[in-house]
Amino acid sequence: MGNLGIAECGKGNSEVYRRSSTASFMRQLRNAVKEKVQTPEQQAGHNRGEFQGSREPYREALRPRYCPSSILQHCVLPPRHLADTMLKYFWMQGHALYPFLSKATFLTAYEYLWRGKRVLSDQIMTDCILNVIFAIMTADMYFKRAMQLLQIEILGSGSLQLIQPHLVMGMYLQSTDTPHRCWVMIGIAIRVAQGLGLHLRETTGRMQRQTDRELARRIWHGCILMDRILSMTLGQPLMIGRAISESVPLPACIDEAYLSSDPGREGVQPSNIPSNMEFFRLTLKLYNILEDILSTFYPSGVSDQLTYKKDNCTSEEIHCLDLNAILRIDKLLSEWMASIPPHLVSRPPAINPEIDEGFLRQANVLKLRYLHLQILLFRPLQRSGGSELEMPLQLAIALPFANKCVLAAQEIVEITHSHQRNNGSFEPLPAWWYKVFYVYSAATALIAARIYRPLHCTISDISIKSSWLRCFEVLKSHTEVSKSARCCVAALQFLDKNIVVAPDQTAHAPRQQSNTAPPGNTQQVSLGTAFITQQDVANFYPRLSSLNSVIISTTRT
């Protein structure tokens, strides 16, 4: 509010003030005056589309800047061989799925750090991103260093290099017990990106260098991707709406090595080499459908009381489900699935063992994301009860969709279980926290299937039980490294005992008192070396917010 109308738009603040602002109105007046006094040469430059009144965010960041001596303690590197190994695994595991960085530019800056040369980029942000990468690969110590470096720049002028560490930090924070910090980090990244105008088509359209334009688009669409992931996992409202997300073209299907850095020259991807960027584009398209699912069936931003009533809907309220919307979105998912190129089609491990493991991992991640969206779409239809003969027509129509939900859950378990490698080698699967998330989501759908009797006519109890046991195998393999996995195992064991097994027992035995422990009970559930009390299980959902997209009501009869 301190700059209402006299801001020199174009000198550091033009990216902040948009059409509704007083400063924007003053800029329009100033431009109108300039048009009256411009020389023919100046007018010709304007007609060529030169960027007037706003700076090019990436070029701004290339002005050399260096760390003050007071923060050099946060720029200490680990031994070279260890740093090289961690960076190598980041390119394989992280960057291949989330291409938020310019690999060539970053590696050049990385080499300069070791040689003691001046870095042709913002050195503070280079050190910050490097520490986050080390944190993803090893320990929290590096993340604390990165936070110290980021605090120096967070209130400064925006640049692409200020957005990048926030996005990479978001990747790291997804694996922690503090997902709200991830939500904040991505929110800051989005605001900085919007301040730079990355949400406007003309901002990247005016960039003359293809490398800069494509990086800016990858970063902006990375903000959109992370926004939708967090909305799905945390149940928070989206910050970027559909109209804004569709205004900027998707990144080109061209690997960074083939992009041109010469102004006005466009590089192309060789026709015989599949692009790694195809995965990112397909993910962005798929998560456009996710936005449709979230806004239609999981609207956020309403009061907890209304959400509670909706999540615990009765069979009568299922009549209000929009089956036309389900059919429409299911068609979109089918069309998306049909558009996947051959090198990104998921395959069982035994088929074509010579396939590139990088592409195999991308293929499996795409398939898991697609199957998880099917669960989100069809899961509400598992809530109805009654026998098939007693079901109203609408519920009978919904039965095939509920069946597809269970089949999607089983396929998630099969892909994860069959490709998992417990020997520490590279496995063609997403990061462990996503494995836990997907498998746990699949397990909740399987619990509902075990209770939802009409499904047993098409899917055998043996098949569901087999998938259920494999869920436990995958989750238990992560209990040593993940508190979330331990909580998931404990919660599923509790639900299996008290919701699935108990009804089956009472169907053949006299009615007995419920074996659910009272709130003060400290009876323990054994998880091998880990022990979690029943009270811990009772507090599971509010505590494990990184997995709270799971809806308990899917387990109700």
Side-chain angles (χ1 to χ4, degrees):
M1 297 296 291
N3 195 337
L4 294 178
I6 58 174
E8 284 295 319
C9 300
K11 291 186 179 181
N13 290 319
S14 65
E15 68 273 17
V16 176
Y17 299 102
R18 296 301 176 194
R19 292 168 59 184
S20 63
S21 66
T22 304
S24 175
F25 176 69
M26 294 300 295
R27 181 172 65 239
Q28 294 176 35
L29 291 179
R30 185 169 57 253
N31 290 340
V33 173
K34 284 184 177 180
E35 288 182 3
K36 299 294 184 180
V37 298
Q38 274 183 335
T39 65
E41 291 78 10
Q42 290 172 327
Q43 184 63 40
H46 177 78
N47 293 336
R48 286 194 300 269
E50 294 177 357
F51 214 1
Q52 302 286 333
S54 181
R55 65 182 187 273
E56 199 167 350
Y58 190 62
R59 292 291 139 190
E60 178 83 2
L62 290 181
R63 298 174 183 173
R65 300 176 64 247
Y66 309 104
C67 295
S69 57
S70 60
I71 61 169
L72 288 178
Q73 58 177 321
H74 304 302
C75 305
V76 178
L77 298 174
R80 178 66 189 265
H81 71 279
L82 179 59
D84 288 350
T85 300
M86 289 190 288
L87 198 56
K88 174 185 175 182
Y89 277 103
F90 173 77
W91 299 127
M92 292 172 53
Q93 300 278 5
H95 185 75
L97 305 185
Y98 302 95
F100 302 150
L101 305 178
S102 168
K103 184 176 180 179
T105 302
F106 189 84
L107 286 178
T108 299
Y110 176 72
E111 288 295 331
Y112 282 176
L113 288 176
W114 288 106
R115 298 176 185 176
K117 295 184 178 180
R118 291 188 170 186
V119 180
L120 190 61
S121 64
D122 189 328
Q123 183 174 331
I124 295 177
M125 290 297 95
T126 299
D127 289 322
C128 178
I129 294 171
L130 192 57
N131 273 285
V132 182
I133 291 174
F134 294 158
I136 293 174
M137 297 296 123
T138 55
D140 186 59
M141 172 188 69
Y142 294 105
F143 179 76
K144 293 177 180 177
R145 290 182 180 178
M147 284 297 297
Q148 292 294 326
L149 293 168
L150 187 61
Q151 288 175 9
I152 299 170
E153 290 294 302
I154 196 168
L155 295 179
S157 59
S159 68
L160 293 189
Q161 279 207 325
L162 182 57
I163 305 172
Q164 288 171 316
H166 284 89
L167 291 176
V168 181
M169 282 181 173
M171 294 169 57
Y172 167 76
L173 289 170
Q174 290 179 101
S175 67
T176 68
D177 295 327
T178 56
H180 63 280
R181 296 171 71 185
C182 180
W183 172 254
V184 171
M185 282 292 171
I186 299 304
I188 295 173
I190 292 171
R191 287 296 181 240
V192 176
Q194 289 175 328
L196 294 173
L198 296 186
H199 62 294
L200 303 174
R201 175 184 291 266
E202 56 266 27
T203 301
T204 55
R206 288 171 174 168
M207 293 180 178
Q208 296 298 309
R209 294 175 176 82
Q210 187 184 27
T211 50
D212 296 351
R213 182 173 65 250
E214 291 302 318
L215 177 62
R217 288 176 178 173
R218 293 203 308 269
I219 289 175
W220 171 243
H221 284 285
C223 291
I224 297 173
L225 174 64
M226 296 299 289
D227 182 39
R228 289 173 175 175
I229 289 174
L230 291 175
S231 180
M232 172 186 66
T233 56
L234 302 182
Q236 296 284 3
L238 291 162
M239 290 185 66
I240 304 174
R242 187 180 309 177
I244 295 178
S245 67
E246 294 176 350
S247 63
V248 178
L250 296 178
C253 194
I254 305 174
D255 290 342
E256 186 178 343
Y258 304 109
L259 296 174
S260 172
S261 59
D262 299 329
R265 183 175 175 271
E266 301 294 310
V268 296
Q269 180 79 14
S271 58
N272 61 333
I273 300 178
S275 172
N276 284 291
M277 285 302 301
E278 185 68 45
F279 166 84
F280 190 55
R281 285 172 56 91
L282 284 168
T283 294
L284 296 173
K285 292 177 180 179
L286 179 64
Y287 278 35
N288 284 337
I289 304 176
L290 171 62
E291 189 275 339
D292 202 351
I293 295 173
L294 294 176
S295 60
T296 303
F297 300 104
Y298 302 92
S300 55
V302 298
S303 69
D304 291 340
Q305 184 177 7
L306 292 176
T307 303
Y308 177 82
K309 289 181 179 179
K310 181 171 183 177
D311 288 348
N312 291 275
C313 65
T314 64
S315 59
E316 288 76 19
E317 289 170 336
I318 290 179
H319 291 284
C320 298
L321 284 175
D322 189 348
L323 294 181
N324 287 329
I326 294 176
L327 288 170
R328 175 180 59 81
I329 296 175
D330 183 49
K331 183 174 183 292
L332 292 175
L333 287 172
S334 298
E335 291 172 348
W336 176 89
M337 194 67 185
S339 70
I340 296 179
H343 70 281
L344 291 178
V345 174
S346 179
R347 298 172 175 85
I351 297 180
N352 195 6
E354 297 181 358
I355 190 173
D356 182 278
E357 288 218 325
F359 284 136
L360 178 60
R361 180 170 183 252
Q362 290 183 338
N364 287 337
V365 171
L366 279 178
K367 188 64 178 290
L368 290 172
R369 289 173 173 174
Y370 162 79
L371 293 169
H372 183 251
L373 261 62
Q374 282 197 316
I375 290 179
L376 289 177
L377 178 61
F378 300 129
R379 185 169 58 191
L381 297 168
Q382 286 186 303
R383 296 173 180 162
S384 57
S387 67
E388 188 170 7
L389 295 177
E390 297 171 348
M391 287 194 300
L393 178 60
Q394 189 174 23
L395 295 183
I397 294 173
L399 181 59
F401 297 127
N403 185 68
K404 290 185 71 172
C405 180
V406 178
L407 293 177
Q410 289 185 303
E411 192 167 358
I412 285 177
V413 176
E414 177 60 30
I415 291 174
T416 308
H417 186 271
S418 62
H419 285 279
Q420 181 168 278
R421 300 169 185 173
N422 296 320
N423 57 3
S425 63
F426 176 83
E427 58 182 25
L429 290 170
W432 66 260
W433 51 92
Y434 276 112
K435 284 196 293 180
V436 171
F437 174 71
Y438 291 139
V439 172
Y440 182 66
S441 298
T444 61
L446 293 174
I447 281 188
R450 295 172 66 185
I451 302 171
Y452 188 40
R453 292 301 175 186
L455 285 173
H456 295 206
C457 299
T458 53
I459 304 176
S460 69
D461 291 346
I462 295 177
S463 174
I464 295 176
K465 187 65 175 180
S466 174
S467 297
W468 175 257
L469 293 176
R470 288 186 172 186
C471 281
F472 274 97
E473 289 182 30
V474 173
L475 293 174
K476 285 183 176 179
S477 68
H478 293 84
T479 55
E480 294 297 325
V481 296
S482 169
K483 178 182 177 182
S484 297
R486 293 195 296 271
C487 289
C488 288
V489 171
L492 292 178
Q493 287 178 331
F494 181 75
L495 295 174
D496 183 43
K497 179 180 179 181
N498 292 279
I499 297 180
V500 179
V501 177
D504 291 341
Q505 292 174 344
T506 56
H508 305 286
R511 187 174 183 85
Q512 298 178 356
Q513 184 178 358
S514 172
N515 58 358
T516 303
N521 195 315
T522 58
Q523 178 183 354
Q524 292 181 319
V525 180
S526 175
L527 300 180
T529 59
F531 291 91
I532 297 178
T533 66
Q534 295 284 21
Q535 184 62 42
D536 291 332
V537 176
N539 295 330
F540 166 70
Y541 288 99
R543 207 173 65 240
L544 195 60
S545 56
S546 62
L547 296 176
N548 72 352
S549 68
V550 178
I551 302 175
I552 291 184
S553 58
T554 57
T555 63
R556 296 182 181 272
T557 56

